[in-house]
Amino acid sequence: MLEIVLLGLNHKTAPVEIRECLAVSKDETAAMLGAIKEPDSINEVVLFSTCNRVEILMVASDKTKAVETAKKQLSAFKNVPLSKFEQSIYVYEGDEAVRHIFRVASSLDSMMIGEPQILGQIKEAYLMATKRKTSGVILNRLLHRTFFVAKRVRTETGIGSSAVSISYAAIELARKIFGLLEDKKVLLIGAGEMAELAVEHLIRNKVKEIFIANRTFKNGVELARRFGGNVISFEEITDFIKQVDIIISSTGSSDIIITKKQVKQIMPGRKNRPLFFIDIAVPRDIDPEINKLNNTYVYDIDDLNGVIDENIEDRNKEAIKGERIIDEAVINFKKWYDSLDVVPTIVELRNKIDSIVSAEVEKTMQSIKLSESDREALSRMKNALINKIVHNPILLLKRDGCHGSNSIYIDVVRKLFKLDD
Amino acid sequence: MNDLIIVTSLLYVLSAVGYILFLFLQKQYYHRLGHIFLAVGFFCNSIVIGYHYAKVGQVPVRNLHETLIVTGWAIAGVYFAFHYKFKIKILGGYAALIAALSIVASILASGNFVESQPIFNSVWLIMHVVSIFIGHSSFALACGVGLLYIAQENAIKNKKHGFFYKRLPSLDLLDSTGYACIITGFTLLTIGLITGFVYAKTVWGRFWSWDPKEVWSGIVWLLYAAILHGRLTVGWRGRKAAIMAIIGFAVVLFTFFGVNFLLKGHHGVFTR
């Protein structure tokens, strides 16, 4: 009987120094798939590698041998001695392997639970395996189930719903204050990676206009060109607070740039339309007291981190629901997998044909009058018919039975005769 | 017909349960359930009112029992109208709860009828009653939206997101919904007062008679006029507007019930 076996290592078991040595590129994946697959022992392989993990999923008749081969190939391809990474490797078999691949694809095993990239990476790896023809009946089915389960986990739980990065958290807040951001204006004071990332997200949300103020005017001009915004001088900030809605500040200034008094004077002129300050600078640029004014909201870097922590906690809670969906999917997959066994398939095939023929014979016998001996003859004919119909299919199924590579025939027979209802 | 009132009250209660389950569990299924129950309840409620109207030939607001039935109907109807435009799902629980309370209270309250008189049969009176009820229902919704606004603003201001933050829409949407509710309410209240004056003139020969209900309605009108004026001129929006909407509705409630029980006047009999 064939078995599903998975071996791999991830951010939990291997430090980054090992992971970076073993990361498999696209071309290497293609070559490795061919090298691992062996006609007699390893029937199917799918391999994928991200910056946080390497996973090799196999269907093999001899699982210990398969694991050894995979380890050896990984070591050979990446030119890293096996002893260096062997203790980081985990091996899962059967249901546990199925569960693991479901969890990985659903992003429950990720460093950041709910991150969306992993599913795409697995899809890509699967595409590669189908192109290299290293994936067969079992892994095809398993991977399709995996994509389905991952999608279900994503839509039915909230694991991916709340922001877990500073810039996203800021945008999410802006949406909770303003609703649509389409008619909103943004002022960026200073520069910095996180602030610029936030501005990029805002642009994606189609904000109306972006103003940029920088102490070094030249830098401001450059940023303005990048974002398609307008440059203003540092002295003009107060004037522009009157018309913008979102202010992102990230300067190296050691003093506060915008004071409570300033904002208080501006608010009546804005007819109290809300103002949202995102203060990413350390030390802070925006007087935190501004948060106490009506219709103004100030979030500094710690506040945003607080939001993220809260969201991560939510994701962890949602992950429990995800595990439940996966438990269910593992059981369902096992049901299908077990059906690939030869004996039950033969029994079911016989029963199916029997039921069809018997039903038709019964129907005919009801409408015509027959003597007892005629009935017996008909019944004998019925049994002979059934035996002859199933004879060749059963021979075919049994032929490779002991080698275990007949899963494709079993699958076809089950589909042809619709045995899986 | 009493059976249908009980059915209506049950439907409203079920609707409120559906909406509240949605609030906690966030499953669309419960929201749809709440919505359907409210719609069917509204339909039954309409039949009850139509039946009363056909029976007595005038708007059925002759005692507290009938008044409350119309209140429940107006709340549910106004909620549907605003939901169509603004889609604040969480507000359904508030509307359904008030509607359910009104109808349940109406079952418990069985007062004496005011004898049907020819003077009640006036198109002005119908307009007066209908506008006042819909106007007041809009104010009730404005108050609900105001409460939601304050919950959401507290979450954002205090940086402790918790229960409401995810479940509530943006401050901007809550604020503009509240504003729209107050504008609608104010317009209908104005129409209600004017038609009331005209009716008073045709029946009693004078526009204004210092009836306590009239006085308090005047106060309500002035209060909401001030709220709208403040918004347009000096920008009373956000939290301030939300608090005003809540205070405004408290005064409306007093005008609706308090005046009848505590003070006397020619409206008194209808709501006792």
Side-chain angles (χ1 to χ4, degrees):
Chain A
M1 183 67 189
L2 292 169
E3 269 192 275
I4 298 171
V5 52
L6 178 143
L7 114 172
L9 50 90
N10 63 16
H11 56 277
K12 287 174 202 156
T13 64
V16 66
E17 301 84 51
I18 292 181
R19 269 163 22 225
E20 64 191 3
C21 293
L22 292 174
V24 187
S25 74
K26 234 177 157 177
D27 295 337
E28 286 170 327
T29 306
M32 257 177 92
L33 284 172
I36 294 175
K37 190 177 171 183
E38 279 173 16
D40 307 335
S41 55
I42 305 175
N43 303 42
E44 302 179 31
V45 198
V46 171
L47 183 157
F48 63 93
S49 159
T50 72
C51 53
N52 278 336
R53 64 178 70 246
V54 177
E55 310 268 357
I56 303 173
L57 184 59
M58 293 172 287
V59 173
S61 45
D62 180 352
K63 54 193 183 200
T64 7
K65 202 176 147 213
V67 169
E68 284 314 309
T69 314
K71 276 186 194 168
K72 240 187 278 163
Q73 292 294 350
L74 188 59
S75 159
F77 264 85
K78 298 311 299 183
N79 215 356
V80 182
L82 188 56
S83 58
K84 215 175 147 193
F85 65 91
E86 197 164 18
Q87 69 278 11
S88 306
I89 288 212
Y90 47 77
V91 174
Y92 294 113
E93 293 163 14
D95 285 354
E96 283 316 301
V98 172
R99 183 188 309 279
H100 183 74
I101 181 88
F102 284 173
R103 291 189 74 244
V104 170
S106 311
S107 187
L108 294 178
D109 196 49
S110 299
M111 197 181 244
M112 175 51 68
I113 287 180
E115 56 96 2
Q117 283 92 356
I118 185 73
L119 184 58
Q121 287 160 335
I122 297 181
K123 277 185 178 163
E124 221 169 87
Y126 172 60
L127 194 70
M128 169 84 79
T130 50
K131 270 188 197 151
R132 308 285 303 175
K133 294 197 168 58
T134 60
S135 153
V137 179
I138 294 175
L139 287 193
N140 283 345
R141 174 89 174 199
L142 176 57
L143 268 299
H144 282 132
R145 289 315 293 176
T146 304
F147 303 146
F148 177 78
V149 169
K151 207 172 154 207
R152 219 187 126 193
V153 170
R154 187 152 288 273
T155 49
E156 287 181 25
T157 74
I159 57 162
S161 62
S162 43
V164 287
S165 73
I166 297 277
S167 47
Y168 260 118
I171 305 307
E172 207 180 72
L173 273 162
R175 275 214 216 93
K176 278 287 180 190
I177 294 170
F178 298 110
L180 285 175
L181 301 179
E182 279 170 14
D183 56 343
K184 298 294 174 277
K185 297 179 180 174
V186 181
L187 171 62
L188 170 66
I189 305 173
E193 201 189 325
M194 264 189 280
E196 286 164 32
L197 215 57
V199 173
E200 274 166 22
H201 288 320
L202 283 169
I203 291 172
R204 231 168 286 147
N205 277 284
K206 299 196 177 74
V207 285
K208 194 174 173 194
E209 216 168 354
I210 292 167
F211 299 100
I212 287 147
N214 204 301
R215 275 211 206 278
T216 328
F217 199 70
K218 207 185 93 201
N219 293 350
V221 173
E222 200 158 295
L223 278 173
R225 192 178 313 133
R226 231 179 83 201
F227 296 133
N230 311 306
V231 200
I232 62 166
S233 78
F234 227 68
E235 289 69 37
E236 287 177 294
I237 288 177
T238 317
D239 292 336
F240 274 85
I241 299 178
K242 275 182 200 139
Q243 51 162 308
V244 299
D245 306 284
I246 300 168
I247 293 150
I248 303 172
S249 190
S250 168
T251 73
S253 161
S254 53
D255 285 327
I256 277 171
I257 289 178
I258 298 172
T259 62
K260 186 179 176 184
K261 212 176 128 204
Q262 253 176 315
V263 177
K264 201 172 178 179
Q265 284 167 351
I266 284 165
M267 285 311 275
R270 307 174 41 88
K271 287 206 171 166
N272 286 315
R273 275 180 299 117
L275 252 179
F276 180 32
F277 294 90
I278 302 161
D279 188 359
I280 302 178
V282 180
R284 289 182 285 186
D285 289 340
I286 316 278
D287 185 355
E289 287 291 303
I290 292 173
N291 194 44
K292 288 189 181 144
L293 293 172
N294 267 335
N295 296 328
T296 57
Y297 309 92
V298 180
Y299 271 71
D300 63 32
I301 191 94
D302 279 4
D303 299 331
L304 291 170
N305 274 323
V307 172
I308 290 172
D309 286 345
E310 215 175 300
N311 288 349
I312 289 175
E313 215 171 282
D314 280 354
R315 283 191 176 198
N316 288 337
K317 264 185 228 150
E318 291 298 307
I320 298 169
K321 284 188 213 160
E323 299 283 359
R324 209 167 51 216
I325 293 172
I326 285 175
D327 285 343
E328 194 190 314
V330 169
I331 293 169
N332 282 336
F333 185 82
K334 188 178 162 53
K335 229 182 259 168
W336 174 82
Y337 184 77
D338 287 345
S339 76
L340 285 184
D341 206 359
V342 175
V343 180
T345 303
I346 289 172
V347 172
E348 279 171 52
L349 177 65
R350 231 200 113 85
N351 288 345
K352 178 96 183 194
I353 304 290
D354 191 319
S355 72
I356 294 170
V357 177
S358 301
E360 292 304 318
V361 169
E362 280 301 314
K363 223 158 63 183
T364 313
M365 286 209 287
Q366 266 169 15
S367 56
I368 47 175
K369 253 184 150 4
L370 287 173
S371 66
E372 198 53 39
S373 59
D374 288 342
R375 279 173 180 276
E376 261 171 39
L378 211 55
S379 170
R380 273 198 303 277
M381 186 200 84
K382 184 191 86 178
N383 286 334
L385 208 55
I386 293 167
N387 285 334
K388 293 222 159 122
I389 291 172
V390 298
H391 180 71
N392 273 324
I394 287 176
L395 272 191
L396 179 78
L397 288 175
K398 276 185 175 165
R399 191 182 65 197
D400 293 321
C402 41
H403 298 302
S405 62
N406 61 342
S407 51
I408 184 153
Y409 294 124
I410 295 177
D411 194 51
V412 166
V413 165
R414 298 192 74 86
K415 276 184 189 145
L416 270 179
F417 292 94
K418 219 168 177 222
L419 300 181
D420 279 318
D421 294 338
Chain B
M1 214 18 69
N2 277 332
D3 290 344
L4 196 57
I5 299 173
I6 290 167
V7 170
T8 307
S9 73
L10 270 177
L11 285 164
Y12 283 160
V13 168
L14 285 173
S15 163
V17 170
Y19 281 125
I20 288 164
L21 282 174
F22 169 72
L23 171 64
F24 282 93
L25 305 173
Q26 294 286 291
K27 291 265 186 289
Q28 291 307 321
Y29 170 76
Y30 291 117
H31 180 261
R32 213 170 306 138
L33 221 60
H35 220 59
I36 291 167
F37 279 129
L38 193 64
V40 181
F42 180 65
F43 179 72
C44 295
N45 204 340
S46 307
I47 291 179
V48 171
I49 294 172
Y51 175 79
H52 280 294
Y53 184 87
K55 211 169 82 176
V56 297
Q58 64 180 63
V59 196
V61 285
R62 295 173 298 169
N63 58 9
L64 187 59
H65 171 71
E66 291 183 345
T67 308
L68 284 168
I69 291 176
V70 178
T71 306
W73 175 83
I75 288 276
V78 169
Y79 168 73
F80 276 120
F82 278 100
H83 180 77
Y84 181 73
K85 177 87 173 67
F86 294 101
K87 303 215 161 36
I88 299 179
K89 287 186 170 166
I90 214 166
L91 201 58
Y94 174 80
L97 215 56
I98 297 185
L101 278 177
S102 303
I103 303 295
V104 170
S106 86
I107 293 170
L108 301 175
S110 52
N112 298 319
F113 290 106
V114 184
E115 277 309 309
S116 188
Q117 294 169 33
I119 58 160
F120 290 153
N121 219 338
S122 156
V123 73
W124 296 112
L125 185 63
I126 295 174
M127 278 177 73
H128 169 67
V129 169
V130 171
S131 335
I132 294 277
F133 271 91
I134 295 179
H136 282 183
S137 300
S138 304
F139 290 144
L141 279 195
C143 167
V145 176
L147 289 167
L148 295 182
Y149 184 95
I150 288 172
Q152 181 68 312
E153 214 222 9
N154 280 347
I156 294 176
K157 267 253 147 112
N158 302 335
K159 295 154 188 181
K160 291 224 160 46
H161 288 174
F163 186 79
F164 282 109
Y165 179 75
K166 274 202 199 72
R167 294 171 162 82
L168 291 180
S170 68
L171 291 179
D172 182 70
L173 179 63
L174 289 170
D175 190 50
S176 44
T177 309
Y179 182 47
C181 288
I182 287 180
I183 287 185
T184 313
F186 183 71
T187 312
L188 285 162
L189 181 63
T190 310
I191 295 172
L193 289 181
I194 291 171
T195 48
F197 292 152
V198 175
Y199 175 70
K201 178 78 180 165
T202 60
V203 177
W204 295 301
R206 53 180 189 272
F207 287 112
W208 182 271
S209 48
W210 294 103
D211 170 65
K213 192 103 170 181
E214 282 176 19
V215 175
W216 277 93
S217 292
I219 293 173
V220 167
W221 189 86
L222 285 174
L223 188 68
Y224 280 101
I227 293 176
L228 287 175
H229 179 77
R231 187 176 182 108
L232 292 171
T233 53
V234 289
W236 279 356
R237 51 161 66 229
R239 193 180 188 85
K240 216 178 247 175
I243 293 171
M244 295 286 206
I246 296 166
I247 295 173
F249 185 59
V251 179
V252 167
L253 278 181
F254 180 75
T255 311
F256 196 75
F257 296 110
V259 169
N260 296 91
F261 291 113
L262 303 174
L263 308 162
K264 293 210 180 307
H266 64 229
H267 279 89
V269 276
F270 303 120
T271 32
R272 239 176 247 160

